[in-house]
Amino acid sequence: MRVWDLPTRLVHWLLVAGVGLSWWTGETGRLEWHRWSGYGLLGLVLFRIYWGFFGSSTARFARFVRGPQAVFAYLRGSWQPVPGHNPLGALSVVALLALLATQIVLGLFAVDVDGIESGPLSLYVSFEGGRDAARWHGALFDVLLWLIALHIVAILYYGLVKKQNLAASMLHGERDFGTELPAVQHASAVRLVVGMVLAALLTWAVTRAFRF
């Protein structure tokens, strides 16, 4: 069945590419490119948050984020499958999105050691505050890499042990659950356009430090 809509899949893979680009530009000192890759990631995260409330049913946080009881039921094997993320996978998605959002925000306030390169919102904090943001920006990226590695290990486990190719599902959007499940409710094109416009406008406002 068709589980993932095109916007969800595109955002997923663009985030993968964007994080890789940000890592490379940061490691090689290409700070101008690093800034622009950060802006791109900001727009993607903003859209994904919007899509988590107004997108298709499998993309909505309210549909896949569940409490500890559901997680334990899934671990025990007594959880009934539904289209989309399982309770344990949902925790991974939320953790990755939250940490990436935090990482981006810290970069927006960060200031380098000589004060030449800085995020667009650094003018709202002191130099010491900007340096603290830069240090946390670097430290949390290592945590993000560990979470990404754990995410990849989980995908490999599902592919090799459970014979479920989750990466392929995120490419073509379809998945076989082996049983009939409720149909996915897909969001309208109007909601998609609204989300894209809102994410683009807010990202542009951030690049301008909200000064118009």
Side-chain angles (χ1 to χ4, degrees):
M1 64 179 299
R2 175 75 64 175
V3 177
W4 307 115
D5 59 23
L6 183 59
T8 301
R9 287 178 282 143
L10 277 177
V11 168
H12 176 274
W13 293 113
L14 287 173
L15 284 174
V16 171
V19 170
L21 179 61
S22 290
W23 172 81
W24 178 72
T25 54
E27 288 293 317
T28 57
R30 293 171 168 82
L31 297 184
E32 183 68 22
W33 290 15
H34 187 73
R35 183 185 300 111
W36 283 104
S37 67
Y39 293 157
L41 286 171
L42 173 62
L44 290 170
V45 168
L46 289 172
F47 176 82
R48 184 61 186 90
I49 293 173
Y50 165 89
W51 207 239
F53 291 99
F54 303 103
S56 301
S57 58
T58 51
R60 295 192 183 191
F61 302 128
R63 293 293 186 96
F64 67 79
V65 177
R66 298 172 179 85
Q69 186 175 0
V71 175
F72 289 133
Y74 176 76
L75 293 174
R76 291 193 304 266
S78 58
W79 179 75
Q80 296 299 318
V82 295
H85 297 293
N86 62 59
L88 197 59
L91 293 180
S92 175
V93 171
V94 172
L96 283 168
L97 193 60
L99 188 57
L100 182 56
T102 303
Q103 176 77 6
I104 294 168
V105 170
L106 287 170
L108 295 174
F109 288 94
V111 177
D112 69 353
V113 67
D114 54 14
I116 297 176
E117 293 289 344
S118 58
L121 302 184
S122 60
L123 57 90
Y124 294 111
V125 297
S126 65
F127 177 78
E128 291 76 14
R131 290 299 302 138
D132 288 339
R135 282 187 284 269
W136 279 106
H137 183 69
L140 283 185
F141 189 73
D142 293 334
V143 180
L144 179 62
L145 289 179
W146 279 108
L147 271 181
I148 292 173
L150 183 62
H151 189 67
I152 294 173
V153 169
I155 292 173
L156 291 174
Y157 169 78
Y158 274 89
L160 298 175
V161 178
K162 293 195 171 186
K163 307 303 179 182
Q164 300 177 19
N165 195 335
L166 302 184
S169 295
M170 193 55 72
L171 283 170
H172 51 63
E174 297 179 355
R175 187 176 173 190
D176 183 9
F177 290 92
T179 184
E180 187 174 349
L181 297 177
V184 176
Q185 299 174 349
H186 293 282
S188 66
V190 173
R191 290 191 177 189
L192 172 61
V193 172
V194 169
M196 293 172 62
V197 170
L198 288 176
L201 286 176
L202 187 52
T203 301
W204 173 78
V206 169
T207 65
R208 302 276 299 177
F210 297 102
R211 292 186 171 185
F212 311 113

